């Protein structure tokens, strides 16, 4: 393995935490004997193009510094290759890092962990989801949660994550279930009324909301959480339980497992790792052992 490591940095992640986190992470890698090259892009497309170059050139690892959005962008560069992915979790959500048991908010520790894992060949192949050629590591969201994302992304004020709280209140005021057509693997198509359908490769989204608490990154299957037709009052009762993962015990919630999921619903955008995929219908496939990750 080459001793050159590529640090892929989002300077805006976590209100600037991404840029600040790059320095101690790079220092830890250099102290371990690695040569570190840092890249960042003017935008997502430029960043991805820049990240693909060292991957194609044989870099020892691509290390994403930022949150789930940056991890998602890095996945587009390394998935399906043998180039290891390292994560320095320095964003707002960091759900992919949490699913992998990696440090959050400690870039020096992350850098040391990545260096140790590369030297000891302590790498694990984990599953990813794929939709129309786009990879994701955590959860494909659709329904009420994605409508909150839609509304929040359209809002200019208030700034920061608070706007998503405001967006949630607005969506609750307009709350209604959605008519879905759901097909799992090659089975029968189900027509259901649902508040949301979440397709989990990982267990959480939104910074620790364990929407698919049983999801396993190594079993070759998605966990699909369906919150069925319910009232606004029931949804408000279920919602706080998502952080503990106990919402799946509620009778209005069902969990399914499949390697392929087809979702169809009118007026719903799919989001994966917090990034928009586009309007439904969408087909997601779980791809076993799609990326190599440096682990503790």
């Amino acid at each position: 393995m080459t001793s050159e490591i590529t640090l892929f940095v989002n300077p805006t992640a976590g209100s600037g935490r991404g840029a600040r986190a790059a320095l101690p992470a790079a220092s830890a890698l250099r102290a371990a004997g690695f040569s570190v090259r840092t890249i960042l892009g003017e935008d997502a497309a430029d960043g991805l193009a820049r990240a693909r170059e060292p991957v194609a050139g044989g870099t020892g690892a691509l290390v994403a510094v930022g949150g789930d959005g940056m991890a998602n962008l890095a996945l587009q560069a390394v998935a399906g290759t043998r180039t290891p992915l390292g994560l320095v979790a320095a964003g707002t959500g960091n759900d992919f890092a949490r699913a992998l048991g990696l440090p959050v908010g400690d870039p020096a520790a992350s850098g040391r962990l990545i260096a140790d894992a590369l030297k000891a060949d302590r790498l694990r192949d984990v599953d990813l989801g794929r939709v129309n050629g786009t990879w994701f590591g955590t959860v494909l969201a659709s329904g009420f949660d994605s409508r909150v994302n839609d509304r929040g992304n359209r809002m200019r004020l208030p700034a920061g994550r608070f706007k998503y709280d405001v967006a949630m209140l607005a969506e609750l005021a307009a709350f209604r279930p959605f008519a879905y057509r759901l097909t799992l693997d090659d089975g029968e198509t189900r027509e259901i009324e649902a508040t949301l359908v979440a397709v989990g490769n990982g267990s959480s989204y939104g910074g620790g909301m364990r929407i698919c608490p049983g999801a396993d990154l190594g079993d070759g299957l998605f966990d699909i959480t369906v919150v069925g037709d319910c009232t606004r009052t029931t949804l408000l009762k279920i919602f706080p339980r998502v952080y503990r993962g106990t919402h799946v015990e509620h009778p209005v919630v069902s969990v399914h497992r499949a390697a392929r999921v087809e979702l169809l619903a009118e007026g719903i955008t799919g989001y994966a790792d917090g990034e928009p995929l586009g309007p439904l219908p969408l087909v997601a496939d779980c791809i076993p052992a799609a990326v190599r990750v440096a682990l503790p």
Side-chain angles (χ1 to χ4, degrees):
M1 177 182 291
T2 177
S3 63
E4 182 187 83
I5 302 299
T6 304
L7 214 59
F8 188 28
V9 182
N10 179 0
T12 64
S15 301
R17 287 196 299 271
R20 293 191 296 272
L23 295 176
S27 294
L29 288 163
R30 290 190 178 104
F34 290 97
S35 171
V36 179
R37 171 191 179 190
T38 300
I39 58 171
L40 46 85
E42 296 179 2
D43 52 33
D46 181 58
L48 178 55
R50 291 172 185 261
R52 281 176 167 155
E53 290 178 6
V55 171
T59 186
L62 184 69
V63 178
V65 184
D68 283 322
M70 197 62 180
N72 178 271
L73 196 59
L75 288 176
Q76 312 314 312
V78 299
T81 76
R82 301 306 292 167
T83 301
L85 173 68
L87 293 178
V88 177
T92 304
N94 306 309
D95 288 287
F96 194 38
R98 286 190 174 92
L100 292 164
L102 299 175
V104 172
D106 191 341
S110 296
R112 291 191 296 269
L113 184 154
I114 293 164
D116 290 346
L118 291 172
K119 286 184 171 183
D121 198 27
R122 198 169 59 244
L123 306 169
R124 175 186 167 196
D125 293 332
V126 302
D127 305 341
L128 293 176
R130 187 170 62 190
V131 178
N132 294 332
T134 297
W135 301 92
F136 68 93
T138 58
V139 177
L140 190 170
S142 74
F144 177 78
D145 44 8
S146 65
R147 291 292 288 266
V148 170
N149 259 326
D150 283 342
R151 186 181 288 270
N153 290 342
R154 292 194 301 266
M155 294 167 59
R156 300 187 64 181
L157 293 173
R161 288 185 63 86
F162 183 62
K163 70 180 178 180
Y164 292 98
D165 297 329
V166 174
M168 180 177 291
L169 292 173
E171 284 299 320
L172 277 170
F175 174 74
R176 61 178 176 83
F178 307 99
Y180 277 89
R181 296 184 66 190
L182 173 66
T183 307
L184 305 181
D185 292 328
D186 295 324
E188 179 183 355
T189 297
R190 314 173 192 202
E191 296 190 358
I192 58 174
E193 294 286 318
T195 301
L196 64 86
V197 178
V199 180
N201 183 57
S203 59
S204 69
Y205 61 5
M209 298 171 65
R210 300 183 65 226
I211 188 68
C212 300
D216 183 338
L217 292 171
D219 65 357
L221 297 171
F222 293 125
D223 272 32
I224 303 100
T225 299
V226 177
V227 179
D229 186 359
C230 66
T231 65
R232 186 183 296 112
T233 300
T234 299
L235 180 61
L236 287 170
K237 288 180 179 178
I238 294 172
F239 178 75
R241 297 170 61 174
V242 174
Y243 288 94
R244 300 187 303 275
T246 58
H247 61 291
V248 296
E249 299 167 6
H250 195 282
V252 80
V253 179
S254 60
V255 177
H256 314 269
R257 289 185 172 86
R260 183 178 177 87
V261 182
E262 182 174 354
L263 294 171
L264 188 153
E266 292 291 332
I268 299 295
T269 301
Y271 284 79
D273 295 343
E275 302 297 315
L277 288 173
L280 272 57
L282 293 172
V283 177
D285 291 290
C286 185
I287 309 299
V291 65
R292 305 183 78 198
V293 182
L295 292 179

